[in-house]
Amino acid sequence: MTLHDDAVRVLDGLETAADSQEELRRLYLKHLDEHADGMWRECSDGHVTASSLVIDPVGGRVLLTFHRKLRMWLQMGGHCEPGDATLAGAALREATEESGIPGLRLLGEVPVRLDRHHTPCAWHLDVQYAALAPDGAVEAISDESLDLRWFRYDEVADVADTSVVRLVEATRSRL
């Protein structure tokens, strides 16, 4: 099974409650149906990306990265790579690389939500997961970040855009 096949499988099986999420799910599937290269950054019509919100439920906080290129606080995530076998694996890889935290584990294999946004390279059709931080997790800034910082749930709206706020809310509802 290819990463493209896995993405179709994940999206086919994703149950969405909100109409906006269902509309995105269909748009993602249509994109993948029309673009054999729809998983890769080389697809100029947009591409599927994978991200994870790193969460510490015991501490009531999330780890956000101040993205080097976009200059905003975001969850960990980015482009899929040829070595990624699954979307969930890509999301976990990105979270581990960008947070520097070993031992992260996904909060289930099902995405928390979908978010489509335009970036300097193309449209990103982001499949968003959540990753649980182990007790005593210590973050380490990667070359993709200018900063990493833990924020209490109620602080996220003060520093991040609505997409991140919605991801925090959706993640908390699954805890």
Side-chain angles (χ1 to χ4, degrees):
M1 176 182 292
T2 67
L3 183 58
H4 188 281
D5 294 337
D6 180 71
V8 170
R9 179 192 62 79
V10 168
L11 293 163
D12 267 342
L14 186 61
E15 294 182 20
T16 57
D19 288 344
S20 62
Q21 290 290 283
E22 180 58 23
E23 185 178 323
L24 283 175
R25 186 185 77 82
R26 284 193 209 123
L27 178 85
Y28 286 25
L29 285 167
K30 182 176 188 277
H31 175 79
L32 289 172
D33 185 52
E34 294 173 354
H35 298 88
D37 63 344
M39 297 300 300
W40 312 117
R41 73 175 75 207
E42 292 77 20
C43 183
S44 60
D45 285 340
H47 38 269
V48 174
T49 56
S51 67
S52 289
L53 178 70
V54 175
I55 186 165
D56 170 15
V58 174
R61 61 191 187 149
V62 298
L63 182 66
L64 298 179
T65 179
F66 195 73
H67 196 276
R68 181 175 296 282
K69 291 180 183 174
L70 299 178
R71 305 280 185 185
M72 56 192 301
W73 289 104
L74 299 169
Q75 74 276 8
M76 315 301 148
H79 295 106
C80 295
E81 296 181 2
D84 294 327
T86 65
L87 268 179
L92 186 58
R93 175 189 52 75
E94 285 284 342
T96 302
E97 288 175 0
E98 292 184 10
S99 71
I101 299 174
L104 293 173
R105 62 184 176 83
L106 291 181
L107 178 65
E109 293 292 315
V110 177
V112 174
R113 68 184 312 273
L114 306 173
D115 185 76
R116 180 178 178 259
H117 50 270
H118 198 266
T119 69
C121 73
W123 281 99
H124 280 186
L125 286 68
D126 198 29
V127 180
Q128 301 176 326
Y129 292 81
L132 299 171
D135 290 341
V138 177
E139 69 279 3
I141 296 175
S142 75
D143 60 356
E144 295 184 35
S145 303
L146 292 173
D147 197 5
L148 284 173
R149 192 176 309 161
W150 290 98
F151 292 94
R152 290 188 326 269
Y153 300 145
D154 63 351
E155 295 176 318
V156 174
D158 295 333
V159 298
D161 69 9
T162 57
S163 170
V164 178
V165 171
R166 288 182 187 132
L167 178 57
V168 171
E169 290 168 353
T171 299
R172 290 182 67 196
S173 74
R174 293 212 182 167
L175 293 175

